[in-house]
Amino acid sequence: MASNSSSNSNGDAPSLEVAIVGGGIIGVMMALGLHRRGIKAVIYERAPSWHEVSAGFAFTGAGREYMQRLDPGILEVLSRISQKTDASTSNSYWDAYHPRTRQDAEDESKALLFRTPNNKLLFWGCVRSQFLLGMVALLPDGAVRFGKQLVSYDDDDESAKVILHFEDGSTAEAHALLGCDGIHSTTRKVLLGADHPASRPGYTHIAAYRTMVPIDVGIAALGEKVADSGCMHCGPDACLMSYPVMGGTLLNVAVFAHDPLEFPDPDKMTAPAERGEIERLFRGWSPHLADIAKLYPEKLVKWGIFDMDQDPPPTYARGRVCIVGDAAHASTPFLGVGACTGVEDALVLCTVLESVQQKTSDGDTEDDSVRQALQAYSRARLERGRWVHRSSREVGQMYQWRYGPTGRDTERIKRKLERASQTIVNYDILAPLVV
């Protein structure tokens, strides 16, 4: 990274230097937010080039507000590529097990469990890889180094910097290290210690089978209801989630199945699978779910769903190092706000580090300022992160009729979702922040 002589955007004071480990969605978003505040940030990405899976995900209205505050360009990218919901639309939840005919399965009076209006969450859905590349185009020159797999780091009090050590033998230094390196975070392992239970994610005993199909194919398989908004098809030990992406031209489909066994490759989190697994899973369900396997190729990949709920980190920061996004609080996808929680992290971090940058500009060179800022971030985010992965795990069990407090009771399921939605949107992410 640049030497201490690097200046901020005003050119009148040394700039704070930040190393971001991981070039995924949150890492790039973090870099953009810091650069906009005159803070020098460099991303260290282990892959040889930009890479993100072509799966769908979505952001709430609150998440988009935080993007705007991080860097308006981020929201502009999302706006161009997303399938948008508004207050007039709703997500629907269906009994996909009991109806015996396709007609009954699409009859709201017989199969619809309930709807939740989108006037609170207002999700915009998009394809992950498309969003990443759109944001990458906004990065300044020199903001990323590829082929940099973090091995360890030293938090050096003498220089008041973190020394990063990479697998290729190279090193880098920065005033702060932000670990945006995902659920299998090396930063987290070093920060907590390799033997700490929270250094590794836990298997939720849910496997996912994902695909994307043309919207007309999706409608033919699941009915007209899937064309405009999100649908969750519920049943015993499994569920199917769908929502349109790419301007409504594609349907993102994900089957989630309870898995009593341990996942075969917990490090890779994927395993080879066959279409027959989905066929057996939905045998005896309503006809449209029993036939859903036809949307999948004969040979496919299944994903193990891991999270941080079993052993959550006791802190998100130590010294001049912190963990962000999935590295801190990876969650299952059922609450739909895992990525949004990472956006919240990014805005809180930008806020506390901008304060450090301002102190530097004012001539205050207190060595502890970065450490204090990162501790403020951890205190502000720890409870929120834990609530997200705990609630998301419970909601996933609920969709599969495995959650004891709700069982198959439609009203209890609906009330729990409504309470979760209120907690998501009625939370001031900066309120608990004390710098």
Side-chain angles (χ1 to χ4, degrees), residues 409-427:
D409 188 307
T410 298
E411 285 304 313
R412 289 183 179 181
I413 293 172
K414 183 179 181 181
R415 284 198 299 271
K416 182 171 178 63
L417 284 177
E418 289 173 342
R419 288 194 298 268
S421 294
Q422 292 287 346
T423 303
I424 291 167
V425 300
N426 296 331
Y427 182 78

Side-chain angles (χ1 to χ4, degrees), residues 213-229:
V213 297
I215 194 69
D216 59 330
V217 174
I219 291 171
L222 294 169
E224 289 286 345
K225 60 183 178 289
V226 302
D228 299 318
S229 59

Side-chain angles (χ1 to χ4, degrees), residues 102-392:
R102 290 188 66 91
Q103 182 177 1
D104 285 352
E106 295 183 25
D107 186 337
E108 293 191 8
S109 67
K110 297 179 180 179
L112 179 66
L113 299 174
F114 58 87
R115 296 183 186 275
T116 55
N118 282 318
N119 58 359
K120 292 184 176 67
L121 297 177
L122 294 172
F123 281 111
W124 286 8
C126 67
V127 177
R128 296 179 66 101
S129 55
Q130 193 179 21
F131 187 38
L132 177 68
L133 294 178
M135 288 194 295
V136 163
L138 304 177
L139 287 171
D141 292 341
V144 62
R145 308 282 189 273
F146 290 114
K148 298 297 180 182
Q149 170 64 62
L150 182 71
V151 174
S152 64
Y153 63 78
D154 298 312
D155 194 346
D156 183 40
D157 285 337
E158 184 175 347
S159 65
K161 287 190 174 184
V162 183
I163 314 301
L164 291 76
H165 301 273
F166 299 106
E167 193 173 58
D168 63 4
S170 64
T171 62
E173 63 179 36
H175 295 107
L177 188 168
L178 314 184
C180 301
D181 44 350
I183 191 168
H184 290 298
S185 170
T186 299
T187 309
R188 186 179 66 243
K189 290 179 182 177
V190 179
L191 187 146
L192 298 177
D195 294 331
H196 195 286
S199 68
R200 299 171 300 279
Y203 184 40
T204 66
H205 291 280
I206 295 177
Y209 303 83
R210 297 181 170 117
T211 190
M212 276 193 283
V213 297
I215 194 69
D216 59 330
V217 174
I219 291 171
L222 294 169
E224 289 286 345
K225 60 183 178 289
V226 302
D228 299 318
S229 59
C231 295
M232 180 62 72
H233 299 78
C234 303
D237 294 335
C239 58
L240 182 147
M241 177 175 65
S242 69
Y243 55 88
V245 295
M246 294 287 284
T249 61
L250 296 177
L251 187 70
N252 187 63
V253 178
V255 169
F256 298 97
H258 172 65
D259 177 12
L261 305 176
E262 292 302 319
F263 199 73
D265 191 342
D267 293 323
K268 191 177 180 182
M269 298 197 310
T270 60
E274 297 180 354
R275 181 194 296 160
E277 294 180 30
I278 305 174
E279 292 173 343
R280 290 189 292 273
L281 177 67
F282 289 127
R283 191 171 292 154
W285 286 50
S286 298
H288 61 311
L289 265 291
D291 291 340
I292 201 67
K294 294 176 182 177
L295 299 184
Y296 289 80
E298 181 62 38
K299 301 291 185 181
L300 59 142
V301 170
K302 65 180 176 183
W303 298 72
I305 304 300
F306 289 72
D307 68 8
M308 294 303 300
D309 192 60
Q310 184 174 323
D311 292 297
T315 181
Y316 293 164
R318 282 184 179 163
R320 301 172 182 85
V321 180
C322 72
I323 48 178
V324 190
D326 281 355
H329 44 68
S331 66
T332 63
F334 301 108
L335 204 58
V337 294
C340 291
T341 312
V343 180
E344 294 177 0
D345 291 350
L347 182 57
V348 171
L349 270 172
C350 279
T351 301
V352 297
L353 291 175
E354 185 176 25
S355 176
V356 175
Q357 174 73 11
Q358 185 59 51
K359 290 177 183 177
T360 302
S361 298
D362 293 342
D364 183 349
T365 58
E366 182 183 355
D367 287 345
D368 273 351
S369 59
V370 169
R371 286 184 289 209
Q372 291 170 357
L374 297 188
Q375 281 302 314
Y377 155 76
S378 180
R379 289 192 299 270
R381 298 303 298 156
L382 201 59
E383 182 179 350
R384 176 70 160 179
R386 288 177 176 176
W387 178 84
V388 168
H389 53 63
R390 165 54 54 184
S391 297
S392 188

Side-chain angles (χ1 to χ4, degrees), residues 66 69 348 351 376 379-381 426-435:
Y66 304 144
R69 293 164 70 177
V348 171
T351 301
R379 289 192 299 270
R381 298 303 298 156
N426 296 331
Y427 182 78
D428 184 344
I429 67 170
L430 299 182
L433 191 60
V434 178
V435 181

